[in-house]
Amino acid sequence: MKVSVDRDLCYGSAECAHRAPAVFEFFDGYGVVRPGREQTGEAPEVLEAAEKCPGQAISITESPHSTPHSTPDRP
């Protein structure tokens, strides 16, 4: 899963950088995803940062390289 920050929605609260500092940083007054950390959208701290973002600026989407999760068949 890919994580991104929409700069048009971000108003610089830094909640993301506070909740998941290994993934997000605060740059030029906005939250951004650290380079190389874009594919961390399934990490619990990233999910929490997205949920708690006051501007709802964090998106978590299926990455084009990921394979769909499968669930075993149940009788």
Side-chain angles (χ1 to χ4, degrees):
M1 300 297 278
K2 182 177 178 182
V3 62
S4 60
V5 177
D6 184 332
R7 194 170 178 144
D8 291 334
L9 296 175
C10 178
Y11 59 81
S13 72
E15 271 299 311
C16 57
H18 172 73
R19 293 181 185 279
V23 177
F24 300 99
E25 63 184 322
F26 199 62
F27 180 77
D28 199 23
Y30 298 94
V32 295
V33 178
R34 291 181 179 274
R37 303 294 294 170
E38 297 87 359
Q39 299 301 320
T40 59
E42 292 183 27
E45 64 273 16
V46 174
L47 295 171
E48 180 182 2
E51 180 182 320
K52 302 290 184 181
C53 176
Q56 297 298 293
I58 300 172
S59 296
I60 299 173
T61 57
E62 197 163 324
S63 95
H65 309 110
S66 66
T67 56
H69 296 284
S70 61
T71 54
D73 292 333
R74 297 186 183 203

